[in-house]
Amino acid sequence: MTSKNEEGELIAGGGVWYAIGDARNMEFRLPGHLQHTAFNAETAAALLTIQRTHPGTPLNIYCAKESVRKTVIKKLSDMEDRAKTWFRTAEDAETSSDKAGYAGAAQLAQEGCRRPMPDQVSTVVPPEMVLKGLKLSKLTQALAYAAIKETKEIPFRRATDNRVKQVQLATKQNFNRLPAPPEIWKSIRHKDFTRQTRNFLWKSMHDAHHIGKFWKHIPECGDREICQFCGETEDLEHIVLKCNRPGQQQVWELAKELWLKKHSMWPNLSIGAILGCGLASITNEKGHHLPGASRFYRILISESLFIIWKIRNDCVIGNGGVPLPVNEIRNKWLFTMNQRLDLDRVLSNRLKYGAVSIRPLLVLQTWASTLKNEVELPQNWLIGPRVLVGIEPNQPSATPPRRRGRNR
């Protein structure tokens, strides 16, 4: 029960009712350190009831709010290991005594709201109720792995810390918000990324690729530290944004061209902005979030990043340092983007079969304004002939990227 006093302060009180004339009947007012809500008042009433009842006694607790029952059952399901306790709503009351009990508890709650001083509600868990470890009957490999991880201290890596700070700075500049490190690590596992891209982003955040300074102290491999084309240290930022070798510049020009068909703002690209593309939140002029544009941005930036990496490896490993032709670079990028478009169409059509899928409306919003001959397409182009992005390939036609072994 909640009410306001003369000063407008919100007050919450609760009541516990057992029977007419029962000495255990009580009313109380929530202490100041607890948030004064009806939910908290009912939860406190249930706690007081459990604390005053012998552990082996079967117990029925009637609550007005369904949320109390759901919360307790979900979070304290192991209570039944010690005693049988049922949480029910007022609608479940069958006997006249149960109904009278609920009415009596409500009356006591009103009286609790009128009390001048709050009561003390002990939230201390009795030592005999504190369970340590995990139940073997409930133990899974995932729980065991999580428990082992909690016991290990995460080592500090300067390179990783620098990457996190770069992502935070770029996100602040482009989207005017400062993400916390857990949010950054969650973003690189975004469902809009392919599995290969997620793995690549994870290694990139740790600066764990075998490039640049990795080769500096390895005998007979020191020359690999330097870019064969530019003569500078070949770190990830150099490969993705600065290298003069054909690849990165052409890919970002294509990405910008396709993006500007959909949105007027092209962000300032930096290594932090690229690795933090999973944090993108694109808005319109009124500041409203655009889920389709945000998703397209994540796909565009992540796929462009990964294909630059693959083009670099094709050049260094496959062609002995000879750059790929510009036409081939363009066609590789177009092939990749059209592959993602085709994948979205397939997944959107799986919805009716209950398989892993994407909402059709989100797919339509994602690729809107980026398609070839879009004005001639039907409103729902997810079903029908193949649809392509709105940039023409150069001849020869785009071909699938060659399969290679594990990248360096």
Side-chain angles (χ1 to χ4, degrees), residues 302-362:
S302 63
E303 294 293 348
S304 297
L305 166 67
F306 194 46
I307 200 169
I308 290 173
W309 175 254
K310 290 190 289 185
I311 289 172
R312 176 261 180 191
N313 288 337
D314 283 343
C315 172
V316 174
I317 301 174
N319 289 2
V322 179
L324 299 182
V326 174
N327 285 356
E328 185 174 349
I329 293 171
R330 180 186 182 92
N331 291 340
K332 281 177 177 288
W333 182 84
L334 281 171
F335 176 82
T336 300
M337 295 305 299
N338 283 319
Q339 260 192 330
R340 283 305 306 266
L341 175 58
D342 289 340
L343 179 61
D344 270 9
R345 294 183 69 197
V346 171
L347 293 179
S348 67
N349 289 320
R350 284 186 181 181
L351 188 61
K352 55 187 177 183
Y353 301 112
V356 177
S357 59
I358 304 173
R359 290 185 296 110
L361 178 59
L362 181 58

Side-chain angles (χ1 to χ4, degrees), residues 17-23 25 100-101:
W17 176 275
Y18 287 90
I20 297 176
D22 195 310
N25 294 345

Side-chain angles (χ1 to χ4, degrees), residues 12-13 28 30 34-46 65 68:
F28 63 89
L30 281 184
L34 294 178
Q35 187 179 3
H36 283 199
T37 64
F39 174 85
N40 282 352
E42 282 210 352
T43 305
K65 292 191 172 295
V68 174

Side-chain angles (χ1 to χ4, degrees), residues 11-127:
I11 298 174
V16 179
W17 176 275
Y18 287 90
I20 297 176
D22 195 310
R24 294 174 296 177
N25 294 345
M26 66 172 295
E27 78 278 356
F28 63 89
R29 175 177 168 180
L30 281 184
H33 70 277
L34 294 178
Q35 187 179 3
H36 283 199
T37 64
F39 174 85
N40 282 352
E42 282 210 352
T43 305
L47 175 62
L48 290 169
T49 302
I50 294 171
Q51 290 174 341
R52 297 183 177 200
T53 304
H54 190 275
T57 305
L59 187 62
N60 283 311
I61 298 178
Y62 289 89
C63 305
K65 292 191 172 295
E66 178 76 10
S67 54
V68 174
R69 181 174 69 171
K70 289 183 176 179
T71 300
V72 172
I73 288 176
K74 285 182 178 180
K75 296 185 178 180
L76 303 178
S77 59
D78 292 338
M79 286 172 57
E80 293 188 353
D81 290 344
R82 291 183 169 269
K84 293 183 178 180
T85 303
W86 293 269
F87 280 83
R88 300 174 179 174
T89 60
E91 289 77 8
D92 298 327
E94 298 176 353
T95 66
S96 58
S97 61
D98 288 339
K99 294 178 180 178
Y102 175 74
Q107 178 63 34
L108 291 173
Q110 292 179 352
E111 296 177 9
C113 284
R114 291 192 289 268
R115 297 186 67 169
M117 297 296 293
D119 293 84
Q120 295 295 325
V121 180
S122 175
T123 57
V124 177
V125 180

Side-chain angles (χ1 to χ4, degrees), residues 195-353:
R195 178 181 58 83
Q196 283 185 316
T197 304
R198 287 195 293 267
N199 293 338
F200 180 78
L201 287 171
W202 186 87
K203 292 186 68 175
S204 299
M205 286 297 298
H206 287 289
D207 199 12
H209 296 293
H210 293 182
I211 54 176
K213 294 182 179 179
F214 173 84
W215 302 105
K216 185 175 182 179
H217 302 291
I218 299 179
E220 300 180 2
C221 294
D223 58 324
R224 296 188 183 185
E225 177 187 359
I226 306 301
C227 174
Q228 301 174 16
F229 201 85
C230 304
E232 299 180 6
T233 301
E234 194 183 38
D235 56 15
L236 186 63
E237 184 175 10
H238 175 81
I239 294 170
V240 172
L241 290 170
K242 299 178 179 180
C243 187
N244 294 324
R245 179 192 298 115
Q248 63 87 12
Q249 183 177 354
Q250 288 73 20
V251 167
W252 292 126
E253 287 175 354
L254 289 167
K256 181 178 180 179
E257 180 183 350
L258 190 60
W259 175 253
L260 293 179
K261 291 176 178 287
K262 186 177 186 67
H263 202 275
S264 59
M265 183 275 295
W266 177 246
N268 296 320
L269 288 183
S270 63
I271 192 63
I274 294 170
L275 297 181
C277 63
L279 299 163
S281 179
I282 308 299
T283 58
N284 58 16
E285 293 80 3
K286 297 182 180 180
H288 297 156
H289 177 65
L290 301 175
S294 299
R295 182 170 183 271
F296 180 73
Y297 178 87
R298 289 189 287 268
I299 292 174
L300 181 68
I301 299 299
S302 63
E303 294 293 348
S304 297
L305 166 67
F306 194 46
I307 200 169
I308 290 173
W309 175 254
K310 290 190 289 185
I311 289 172
R312 176 261 180 191
N313 288 337
D314 283 343
C315 172
V316 174
I317 301 174
N319 289 2
V322 179
L324 299 182
V326 174
N327 285 356
E328 185 174 349
I329 293 171
R330 180 186 182 92
N331 291 340
K332 281 177 177 288
W333 182 84
L334 281 171
F335 176 82
T336 300
M337 295 305 299
N338 283 319
Q339 260 192 330
R340 283 305 306 266
L341 175 58
D342 289 340
L343 179 61
D344 270 9
R345 294 183 69 197
V346 171
L347 293 179
S348 67
N349 289 320
R350 284 186 181 181
L351 188 61
K352 55 187 177 183
Y353 301 112

